[in-house]
C-alpha cells in the first residue's frame, strides 16, 4: 500500500511528462521473468510469515497462489471483454494485483476466499487503471492500481473473509459473524493512507528542493545514461540511431591497394607447399 499511495502522490507532484512517442514495453521477456521471480519470492515470505513449517504456512502458500492465479485470469478476461488484445503485460499486472491483495489475509482465509479476493482485487484495480488513463495521471507502471488499490482491497476483505478455523489466533470476519475485525481494518486503512500521503508529500518536496525531481528536456533527449550517470558517453542521441553522432569521429576506410605482377608472383610462391 505504501508504494502505491506514494506513487500516486509523486505522479500528482511531477505532472504528466512530455510525450515523445508511443509508450511501449522495453523488454517483455524481462517483464515475464521479473513477475515470475516476484511470484516465487512472494510465496516464500507469505508462507514464511507463519515462522515454521505448519498448517498455517501451507494455507498461506495455497491462498497466495490461488489469489494470484485467479486475479491474472480475471485481468486478461476484462481486457478481452473491453475489446483489447490479451497480452503478457496484462497477465503480469493481474498476477501482481492478486499477490498484493492476498498478502494481508494469506494465513487467515480459505482457498475459496482467496480466489474471491483475487477476483475482486483484479476488478477494482483494472477499473482504477482505466480511469487513470482518462484522467491523464502519469502512472505508466500502474503502481497505484496494483499496489495501492490491491492492498486496500486486501486489507478490507481480510475483515470480511478471516476465519477462526483457518487460524486459531484470528478473529472471525464479517462473513463469519464477526463485526469487530472489519472496523479495525477500516480504521487501519484510513490511518495508514493518511500517514503515507503526508509523509510522501514531505519527502517529494524535500528531494525536489535539494536535488530536483524532473530532468531537463536536453537530458531526456541525450538519455540519462550519458547526461546524469555519465556511463555511456559515446551513445548516439535518440532520433539519430542510424547516423554517426557529431562527437564520434568517423574516418572513411582506405581503398584497397592493387598488387603488382611481381608481388602477386611472390605471394603465390610463398603459398605453395614446400617439400619436406
Amino acid at each position: 500500500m505504501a508504494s502505491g499511495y506514494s506513487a500516486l502522490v509523486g505522479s500528482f507532484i511531477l505532472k504528466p511528462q512530455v510525450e515523445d512517442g508511443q509508450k511501449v514495453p522495453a523488454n517483455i521477456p524481462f517483464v515475464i521473468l521479473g513477475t515470475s521471480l516476484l511470484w516465487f519470492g512472494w510465496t516464500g515470505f507469505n508462507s514464511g510469515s507463519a515462522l515454521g513449517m505448519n498448517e498455517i504456512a501451507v494455507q498461506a502458500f495455497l491462498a497466495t497462489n490461488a489469489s494470484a492465479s485467479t486475479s491474472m485470469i480475471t485481468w486478461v478476461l476484462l481486457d478481452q471483454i473491453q475489446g483489447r488484445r490479451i497480452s503478457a503485460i496484462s497477465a503480469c499486472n493481474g498476477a501482481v494485483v492478486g499477490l498484493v491483495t492476498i498478502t494481508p489475509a494469506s494465513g487467515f482465509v480459505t482457498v475459496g476466499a482467496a480466489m474471491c479476493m483475487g477476483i475482486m482485487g483484479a476488478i477494482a484495480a483494472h477499473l482504477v487503471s482505466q480511469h487513470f488513463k482518462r484522467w491523464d495521471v502519469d502512472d505508466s507502471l500502474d503502481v497505484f492500481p496494483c499496489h495501492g488499490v490491491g492492498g486496500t482491497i486486501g486489507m478490507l476483505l481480510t475483515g470480511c473473509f478471516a476465519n477462526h478455523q483457518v487460524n486459531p489466533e484470528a478473529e472471525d470476519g464479517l462473513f463469519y459473524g464477526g463485526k469487530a475485525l472489519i472496523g479495525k481494518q477500516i480504521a487501519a486503512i484510513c490511518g495508514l493512507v493518511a500517514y503515507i500521503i503526508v509523509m510522501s508529500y514531505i519527502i517529494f518536496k524535500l528531494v525536489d528542493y535539494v536535488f530536483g525531481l524532473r530532468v531537463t528536456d536536453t537530458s531526456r533527449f541525450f538519455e540519462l545514461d550519458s547526461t546524469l550517470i555519465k556511463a555511456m558517453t559515446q551513445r548516439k542521441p535518440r532520433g539519430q540511431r542510424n547516423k554517426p553522432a557529431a562527437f564520434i569521429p568517423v574516418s572513411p576506410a582506405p581503398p584497397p591497394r592493387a598488387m603488382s605482377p611481381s608481388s602477386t608472383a611472390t605471394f603465390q610462391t610463398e603459398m605453395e607447399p614446400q617439400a619436406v
Side-chain angles (χ1 to χ4, degrees):
M1 281 184 61
S3 61
Y5 284 97
S6 61
L8 178 65
V9 174
S11 63
F12 279 112
I13 292 177
L14 284 173
K15 304 293 189 301
Q17 61 182 343
V18 178
E19 296 290 345
D20 54 0
Q22 185 180 4
K23 293 181 180 179
V24 294
N27 196 315
I28 295 178
F30 275 11
V31 174
I32 299 174
L33 176 61
T35 304
S36 303
L37 295 174
L38 193 67
W39 193 330
F40 176 78
W42 216 297
T43 302
F45 71 70
N46 273 3
S47 304
S49 298
L51 302 179
M53 186 58 190
N54 48 39
E55 296 180 357
I56 298 176
V58 175
Q59 188 66 32
F61 175 87
L62 296 175
T64 300
N65 287 276
S67 176
S69 302
T70 53
S71 179
M72 178 177 64
I73 296 173
T74 303
W75 192 285
V76 296
L77 288 179
L78 290 173
D79 281 347
Q80 181 70 21
I81 291 172
Q82 295 181 359
R84 286 190 294 272
R85 182 179 299 176
I86 295 177
S87 64
I89 301 297
S90 298
C92 292
N93 284 342
V96 172
V97 170
L99 294 171
V100 174
T101 303
I102 195 57
T103 297
S106 58
F108 305 97
V109 299
T110 62
V111 174
M115 295 175 68
C116 293
M117 293 179 65
I119 294 172
M120 295 179 185
I123 293 174
H126 194 276
L127 290 175
V128 173
S129 176
Q130 298 307 313
H131 281 82
F132 262 31
K133 295 176 182 178
R134 299 173 186 173
W135 296 339
D136 200 24
V137 177
D138 190 11
D139 187 5
S140 57
L141 298 179
D142 286 337
V143 179
F144 176 71
C146 291
H147 294 271
V149 176
T152 303
I153 295 297
M155 287 190 66
L156 185 63
L157 293 180
T158 301
C160 300
F161 286 106
N163 192 343
H164 180 75
Q165 296 180 354
V166 175
N167 191 333
E169 299 181 1
E171 300 181 33
D172 283 331
L174 184 63
F175 295 159
Y176 295 94
K179 298 180 180 179
L181 183 59
I182 185 65
K184 296 178 182 178
Q185 294 295 104
I186 294 175
I189 291 172
C190 294
L192 184 60
V193 169
Y195 175 79
I196 294 171
I197 291 177
V198 172
M199 294 304 298
S200 298
Y201 182 83
I202 295 174
I203 293 173
F204 274 117
K205 285 297 184 180
L206 181 61
V207 173
D208 189 23
Y209 178 78
V210 177
F211 301 103
L213 293 174
R214 178 69 74 185
V215 298
T216 62
D217 293 338
T218 303
S219 297
R220 292 181 67 251
F221 179 79
F222 287 97
E223 297 186 353
L224 303 184
D225 285 335
S226 58
T227 56
L228 298 182
I229 305 176
K230 309 291 185 183
M232 302 173 65
T233 56
Q234 292 189 349
R235 189 171 183 177
K236 300 176 184 179
R238 187 177 300 167
Q240 300 182 10
R241 297 302 189 200
N242 298 325
K243 301 178 182 179
F247 50 84
I248 302 178
V250 179
S251 57
R257 186 174 58 182
M259 299 179 64
S260 61
S262 58
S263 300
T264 304
T266 304
F267 177 76
Q268 292 178 351
T269 303
E270 292 178 353
M271 292 299 296
E272 292 178 357
Q274 303 293 330
V276 179

